[in-house]
Amino acid sequence: MLDISTYKVAQVILMSRELDRAEGEVRAFIERLAEEEQASLVALMWIGRGSFGADEIEEAKATARDEATTPTADYLLGTPHLSDHLENGLDELGLSAQDDEDDLVRGG
């Protein structure tokens, strides 16, 4: 399973939708995540874009850790449609960040 909370994923999703004005914030947020959280975020994005299946989550996390050659924030922020891929990845895993997103938008 994921080693990052849906609340943190929701934060990345919301900030990446506003990348023009929030790039510094999302970059700093990702850089502050633990290594396992970063690997899960990359794996989730890969699942959401179809590079791995939901049943391959552990393999995707291991690949993210083992093949990381670029800082995670750089890699993720260079990915088109990042927020969509993260949401799709959550859907594939049977998870949702919608309540967390709503809470964040309301200022929670």
Side-chain angles (χ1 to χ4, degrees):
M1 198 48 39
L2 290 177
D3 296 315
I4 186 171
S5 69
T6 57
Y7 190 80
K8 288 182 179 180
V9 174
Q11 289 176 290
V12 174
I13 289 170
L14 289 174
M15 287 187 286
S16 66
R17 287 186 187 145
E18 301 293 331
L19 206 49
D20 290 343
R21 62 185 179 99
E23 182 175 345
E25 288 90 344
V26 70
R27 180 177 299 283
F29 184 83
I30 292 169
E31 288 171 352
R32 284 192 308 266
L33 294 173
E35 183 179 326
E36 290 301 314
E37 290 174 314
Q38 290 182 18
S40 282
L41 200 57
V42 171
L44 183 62
M45 185 273 296
W46 285 340
I47 290 169
R49 74 174 187 195
S51 299
F52 286 87
D55 59 332
E56 299 171 305
I57 183 69
E58 295 304 321
E59 180 184 349
K61 289 188 312 186
T63 301
R65 282 188 306 273
D66 295 344
E67 295 185 8
T69 58
T70 302
T72 302
D74 291 344
Y75 178 71
L76 289 173
L77 294 178
T79 302
H81 312 291
L82 174 61
S83 61
D84 294 335
H85 292 318
L86 292 173
E87 286 182 331
N88 292 340
L90 288 172
D91 287 345
E92 289 293 318
L93 293 173
L95 302 170
S96 173
Q98 189 61 53
D99 290 341
D100 294 320
E101 288 180 45
D102 292 344
D103 186 44
L104 286 162
V105 168
R106 286 191 302 267

